[in-house]
Amino acid sequence: MDNPRLPFLAEKAHKLPLLPGVYIMKNKAGDIIYIGKAKALKNRVSSYFRAVEKHLPKVYQMVSHVYDFDYIVTDSEFEALVLECSMIKLHTPKYNILLKDDKGYSYIKIAPREFSRIRQTFQRDDDDAEYIGPYISSFVVSETVDEVNRAFMLPTCNRKFPQEFGKGRPCLNFHIKRCMGVCRGKISKAEYDEIIEQAREYIKGGSAQSIELLNRRMAEYAESMQFEKAAQLRDRIRAISRINESQKVVFTSVANQDVIALQRSDSDTCAVVLKFRGERLVDKQDFLLGAVDDLDAARLEFLLRYYTTRQDIPKKIQLDGGIEDIEIASRLLSEQAGTKVEVRIPQRGEQLKLVEMAKKNAAERLSQKSQRTGREVAALDELARLLGLEKPPVYIESYDISNIGSETVVAGMVVFENGRPLRKCYRKFNIKTVAGTDDYASMSEVLQRRFQRYLDPEQQDEAFDRLPDLILLDGGKGHVSTIVPMLAQMGIHVPVFGMVKDDKHRTRAIARTGGEIAISSHRSAFTLVSTIQDEVHRYSISFSRAKHQKSSFELSLTQCPGIGKTRAAEIYKQFKTAKAIREASSEQLAQVKGVSMPAARKLYEFLHGED
């Protein structure tokens, strides 16, 4: 790092007291660039100026700009927390979490004037359309538009009415009763306008008010003997009720609460807040926080930053994981809200499902940025948490030993990058130094050869020129206990775990040197690890079978007069497969090193004798 002030800063930090307080980092111009709180100022501030190269990019960048720092000692951790929050709110330092989401305003658009459609839009155009809004939450608008189109069976296709009446068959939505089938031309403009008006009232008044209004109209139609119209409204009321029933996931037994979850990728972190008011999900907000090294610390910082800039603090906040000093955070939020605020980490039931929903939304947001699926992002993040890794493992190598008898012991290496197979970096190994079928020794040989290639500055193989973030061995803690010290002696420091199978050859647990980690209850991580284990087993067993077939065929060639083991090996080396050898002519066989023309003719006759 090119910060010449590091020795001075480290010495100054070493003189700080072991007391709670707030520290203020400043750049050369005197601007405040970061504010933090600490239980013990000396320990926390000193950590910034030790082992600087190991900091995450964001912290590394901040430290490179620190010219000096100030500090304020407080009487307690709680006072430090309060002071930190107020100072961050006042100064908004560059390297603290700044909660800026990327949402603009959203509208519900009802257009055109004839046979209107109801859609979501992000801007008002200068046209004759009706716009309802603006809404801060695009999530709420999207859900509302989808809900109203389903409840009132409105068309969502791109056909133009009435121009395209009767042109083409109705689409699938009509047949599954998701659309009334305006395209058939059997619904008048007056009838359609009445339905649009009902949909407009539904949007503005909500489902409960809309059902009440539709019930009154249905009764009026029944009293005036207009039974067909009454039946249509009855069906519409039932449709709205069915939607409310099918969307239980956006309802909760807790009247007002927020649900917060964080997900990490290799280069970013996303925080999602689901806001429930009146027992219903009314908003979703997401924030990109950059790379973080401590998820629990980031969760606490996000929690405090988010609510110190807002007045609407619910009585209950559900989190997806632990935070340091949860009681102190609850106390601070309670004082700010003027009422008791409970911060919880649900372990089961409805609230845990809502936390999982928030995590899924955070993973999907990261996937948009990284061009990966939300499932892949979630799986890598969950695996990192499960194994205690500092960040999600982007580059994973997995190894398996396979044999068909002691003569064909081989190994396979497969690579997964960002949760997907990277087949160009798959590699095969023949076991060279181990006699018999010793899996531990064979695995040790393979890993030693692989990392010797990595340490060799002249090697040119792209599969060996980088360190993996994680190594998964097909085996239990015995394999791990064998490999970890061997790699340490080579100076290779990569997390190593085993993949343990049950008696039905399915992934059961993750092995480490001290025991096993249950994995079946962690769905995303379980699926990823099972996929990796199945893939490395398939790859290694395929290689083992191919080698066994080759050995058997080479042995059969030696039964031909004039063909010994050396000649058989040369023949197979040149033609690669048994099929190619059988299809070769005498002249082609004679071109193999060490095979004379007479020997080639005898071999040809030997291979085609039955023909």
Side-chain angles (χ1 to χ4, degrees), residues 202-252:
Y202 176 87
I203 293 169
K204 292 182 176 180
S207 59
Q209 184 176 326
S210 181
I211 288 175
E212 183 181 345
L213 184 60
L214 290 174
N215 271 317
R216 288 203 303 267
R217 289 182 182 171
M218 182 177 66
E220 292 170 2
Y221 282 137
E223 287 177 9
S224 61
M225 310 292 282
Q226 299 182 63
F227 298 117
E228 186 175 346
K229 288 189 175 182
Q232 290 174 349
L233 291 183
R234 178 203 62 201
D235 294 341
R236 194 148 297 127
I237 292 168
R238 288 177 178 174
I240 294 172
S241 299
R242 280 197 303 271
I243 286 173
N244 286 344
E245 284 296 314
S246 67
Q247 291 185 339
K248 284 180 181 176
V249 70
V250 297
F251 287 85
T252 173

Side-chain angles (χ1 to χ4, degrees), residues 31 46 76 78 90 99 195 197 199 203 249 268 271 297 304 317 350-351 377 408 487 514 540 547 566 575-576 587:
D31 301 323
S46 295
S76 66
F78 179 72
L90 176 65
L99 303 184
I195 295 169
E197 181 57 33
I203 293 169
V249 70
D268 212 337
L304 299 177
I317 300 171
E350 174 196 46
Q351 298 306 320
V377 172
T408 54
L487 291 183
S540 60
K547 185 178 179 184
T566 303
F575 290 97
K576 309 297 184 185
E587 289 75 14

